[in-house]
Short mmCIF file of all heavy atoms in Angstrom, two decimals:
data_model
loop_
_atom_site.label_atom_id
_atom_site.label_comp_id
_atom_site.label_asym_id
_atom_site.label_seq_id
_atom_site.Cartn_x
_atom_site.Cartn_y
_atom_site.Cartn_z
N LEU A 28 7.85 16.04 -11.19
CA LEU A 28 8.81 14.93 -11.10
C LEU A 28 8.87 14.36 -9.68
O LEU A 28 9.01 13.15 -9.49
CB LEU A 28 10.19 15.39 -11.54
CG LEU A 28 10.33 15.79 -13.02
CD1 LEU A 28 11.72 16.33 -13.31
CD2 LEU A 28 10.01 14.60 -13.93
N ALA A 29 8.75 15.23 -8.67
CA ALA A 29 8.81 14.76 -7.29
C ALA A 29 7.57 13.96 -6.91
O ALA A 29 7.64 13.04 -6.09
CB ALA A 29 8.99 15.94 -6.35
N LEU A 30 6.43 14.31 -7.49
CA LEU A 30 5.19 13.64 -7.14
C LEU A 30 5.12 12.21 -7.68
O LEU A 30 4.34 11.39 -7.17
CB LEU A 30 3.99 14.44 -7.65
CG LEU A 30 3.69 15.72 -6.86
CD1 LEU A 30 2.63 16.55 -7.57
CD2 LEU A 30 3.23 15.38 -5.44
N ILE A 31 5.90 11.89 -8.68
CA ILE A 31 5.89 10.52 -9.21
C ILE A 31 6.36 9.52 -8.16
O ILE A 31 5.67 8.54 -7.88
CB ILE A 31 6.73 10.44 -10.51
CG1 ILE A 31 6.04 11.25 -11.62
CG2 ILE A 31 6.90 8.98 -10.95
CD1 ILE A 31 6.86 11.36 -12.90
N PRO A 32 7.54 9.72 -7.52
CA PRO A 32 7.91 8.78 -6.43
C PRO A 32 6.96 8.87 -5.24
O PRO A 32 6.79 7.88 -4.52
CB PRO A 32 9.33 9.20 -6.05
CG PRO A 32 9.50 10.57 -6.60
CD PRO A 32 8.64 10.65 -7.81
N ALA A 33 6.34 10.03 -5.00
CA ALA A 33 5.36 10.11 -3.91
C ALA A 33 4.17 9.20 -4.19
O ALA A 33 3.68 8.50 -3.29
CB ALA A 33 4.90 11.55 -3.72
N GLY A 34 3.69 9.21 -5.44
CA GLY A 34 2.59 8.31 -5.81
C GLY A 34 2.99 6.86 -5.66
O GLY A 34 2.19 6.02 -5.22
N ALA A 35 4.24 6.55 -6.04
CA ALA A 35 4.71 5.16 -5.90
C ALA A 35 4.80 4.77 -4.43
O ALA A 35 4.41 3.65 -4.05
CB ALA A 35 6.08 5.03 -6.57
N ALA A 36 5.29 5.68 -3.58
CA ALA A 36 5.41 5.37 -2.15
C ALA A 36 4.04 5.19 -1.51
O ALA A 36 3.83 4.27 -0.71
CB ALA A 36 6.19 6.48 -1.45
N TRP A 37 3.09 6.07 -1.84
CA TRP A 37 1.73 5.96 -1.30
C TRP A 37 1.13 4.61 -1.69
O TRP A 37 0.53 3.92 -0.87
CB TRP A 37 0.88 7.11 -1.80
CG TRP A 37 -0.55 7.07 -1.37
CD1 TRP A 37 -1.58 6.42 -2.01
CD2 TRP A 37 -1.12 7.66 -0.21
NE1 TRP A 37 -2.75 6.59 -1.32
CE2 TRP A 37 -2.51 7.35 -0.20
CE3 TRP A 37 -0.62 8.44 0.83
CZ2 TRP A 37 -3.38 7.78 0.80
CZ3 TRP A 37 -1.48 8.88 1.83
CH2 TRP A 37 -2.84 8.55 1.81
N MET A 38 1.29 4.25 -2.96
CA MET A 38 0.74 2.98 -3.43
C MET A 38 1.41 1.80 -2.75
O MET A 38 0.74 0.81 -2.38
CB MET A 38 0.90 2.86 -4.95
CG MET A 38 0.01 1.80 -5.60
SD MET A 38 0.63 0.11 -5.43
CE MET A 38 1.85 0.08 -6.73
N ALA A 39 2.71 1.87 -2.53
CA ALA A 39 3.43 0.76 -1.90
C ALA A 39 2.93 0.55 -0.47
O ALA A 39 2.67 -0.59 -0.05
CB ALA A 39 4.93 1.05 -1.89
N VAL A 40 2.75 1.62 0.28
CA VAL A 40 2.26 1.49 1.66
C VAL A 40 0.83 0.98 1.66
O VAL A 40 0.48 0.04 2.41
CB VAL A 40 2.35 2.84 2.39
CG1 VAL A 40 1.69 2.74 3.76
CG2 VAL A 40 3.81 3.27 2.54
N GLN A 41 -0.01 1.59 0.84
CA GLN A 41 -1.42 1.22 0.81
C GLN A 41 -1.62 -0.24 0.43
O GLN A 41 -2.36 -0.99 1.08
CB GLN A 41 -2.16 2.14 -0.17
CG GLN A 41 -3.67 1.97 -0.18
CD GLN A 41 -4.33 2.91 -1.17
OE1 GLN A 41 -3.66 3.58 -1.96
NE2 GLN A 41 -5.65 2.97 -1.15
N SER A 42 -0.94 -0.68 -0.62
CA SER A 42 -1.12 -2.05 -1.10
C SER A 42 -0.51 -3.06 -0.12
O SER A 42 -1.07 -4.13 0.11
CB SER A 42 -0.50 -2.22 -2.49
OG SER A 42 0.91 -2.02 -2.46
N ASN A 43 0.63 -2.70 0.49
CA ASN A 43 1.29 -3.62 1.41
C ASN A 43 0.43 -3.84 2.66
O ASN A 43 0.21 -4.98 3.09
CB ASN A 43 2.66 -3.06 1.80
CG ASN A 43 3.53 -4.10 2.47
OD1 ASN A 43 3.40 -5.30 2.23
ND2 ASN A 43 4.43 -3.65 3.33
N LEU A 44 -0.08 -2.76 3.25
CA LEU A 44 -0.91 -2.89 4.45
C LEU A 44 -2.21 -3.62 4.13
O LEU A 44 -2.66 -4.48 4.89
CB LEU A 44 -1.19 -1.52 5.04
CG LEU A 44 0.01 -0.78 5.65
CD1 LEU A 44 -0.41 0.61 6.13
CD2 LEU A 44 0.62 -1.57 6.80
N ASN A 45 -2.83 -3.26 3.00
CA ASN A 45 -4.09 -3.91 2.64
C ASN A 45 -3.90 -5.39 2.40
O ASN A 45 -4.73 -6.22 2.82
CB ASN A 45 -4.67 -3.23 1.38
CG ASN A 45 -6.09 -3.65 1.10
OD1 ASN A 45 -6.32 -4.70 0.51
ND2 ASN A 45 -7.04 -2.84 1.51
N ALA A 46 -2.79 -5.75 1.75
CA ALA A 46 -2.53 -7.17 1.50
C ALA A 46 -2.32 -7.93 2.80
O ALA A 46 -2.82 -9.04 2.97
CB ALA A 46 -1.30 -7.33 0.60
N GLU A 47 -1.60 -7.33 3.74
CA GLU A 47 -1.35 -8.00 5.02
C GLU A 47 -2.66 -8.21 5.78
O GLU A 47 -2.86 -9.25 6.42
CB GLU A 47 -0.37 -7.19 5.87
CG GLU A 47 1.06 -7.16 5.33
CD GLU A 47 1.72 -8.53 5.34
OE1 GLU A 47 1.21 -9.45 6.04
OE2 GLU A 47 2.74 -8.70 4.67
N VAL A 48 -3.57 -7.22 5.72
CA VAL A 48 -4.86 -7.38 6.39
C VAL A 48 -5.64 -8.52 5.76
O VAL A 48 -6.23 -9.36 6.46
CB VAL A 48 -5.66 -6.06 6.32
CG1 VAL A 48 -7.08 -6.27 6.83
CG2 VAL A 48 -4.98 -4.98 7.15
N GLN A 49 -5.68 -8.59 4.43
CA GLN A 49 -6.43 -9.64 3.75
C GLN A 49 -5.81 -11.02 3.99
O GLN A 49 -6.54 -12.01 4.13
CB GLN A 49 -6.50 -9.36 2.25
CG GLN A 49 -7.34 -8.13 1.92
CD GLN A 49 -7.69 -8.05 0.46
OE1 GLN A 49 -7.89 -9.06 -0.19
NE2 GLN A 49 -7.78 -6.84 -0.07
N LEU A 50 -4.50 -11.08 4.07
CA LEU A 50 -3.84 -12.36 4.34
C LEU A 50 -4.11 -12.84 5.76
O LEU A 50 -4.18 -14.04 6.03
CB LEU A 50 -2.33 -12.24 4.11
CG LEU A 50 -1.87 -12.13 2.66
CD1 LEU A 50 -0.42 -11.68 2.60
CD2 LEU A 50 -2.04 -13.46 1.93
N LEU A 51 -4.26 -11.91 6.68
CA LEU A 51 -4.44 -12.26 8.08
C LEU A 51 -5.85 -12.76 8.39
O LEU A 51 -6.02 -13.76 9.08
CB LEU A 51 -4.14 -11.03 8.96
CG LEU A 51 -4.56 -11.12 10.43
CD1 LEU A 51 -3.72 -12.16 11.17
CD2 LEU A 51 -4.46 -9.76 11.10
N LEU A 52 -6.86 -12.06 7.89
CA LEU A 52 -8.23 -12.26 8.37
C LEU A 52 -8.83 -13.57 7.87
O LEU A 52 -8.82 -13.84 6.67
CB LEU A 52 -9.11 -11.10 7.93
CG LEU A 52 -8.75 -9.74 8.54
CD1 LEU A 52 -9.50 -8.63 7.83
CD2 LEU A 52 -9.05 -9.74 10.04
N PRO A 53 -9.37 -14.40 8.77
CA PRO A 53 -10.09 -15.61 8.34
C PRO A 53 -11.44 -15.24 7.73
O PRO A 53 -11.94 -14.12 7.90
CB PRO A 53 -10.27 -16.40 9.64
CG PRO A 53 -10.20 -15.38 10.73
CD PRO A 53 -9.30 -14.29 10.24
#
């Protein structure tokens, strides 16, 4: 049960940072 929010948190950080990199780079 504890690992479910951990997976959600990992995905949130990973997707957020990756999206910001893609939005930034020309």
Side-chain angles (χ1 to χ4, degrees):
L28 294 176
L30 286 171
I31 293 174
W37 177 273
M38 197 281 280
V40 173
Q41 187 180 9
S42 64
N43 194 28
L44 292 176
N45 191 278
E47 291 295 344
V48 172
Q49 293 194 34
L50 288 166
L51 167 68
L52 295 169

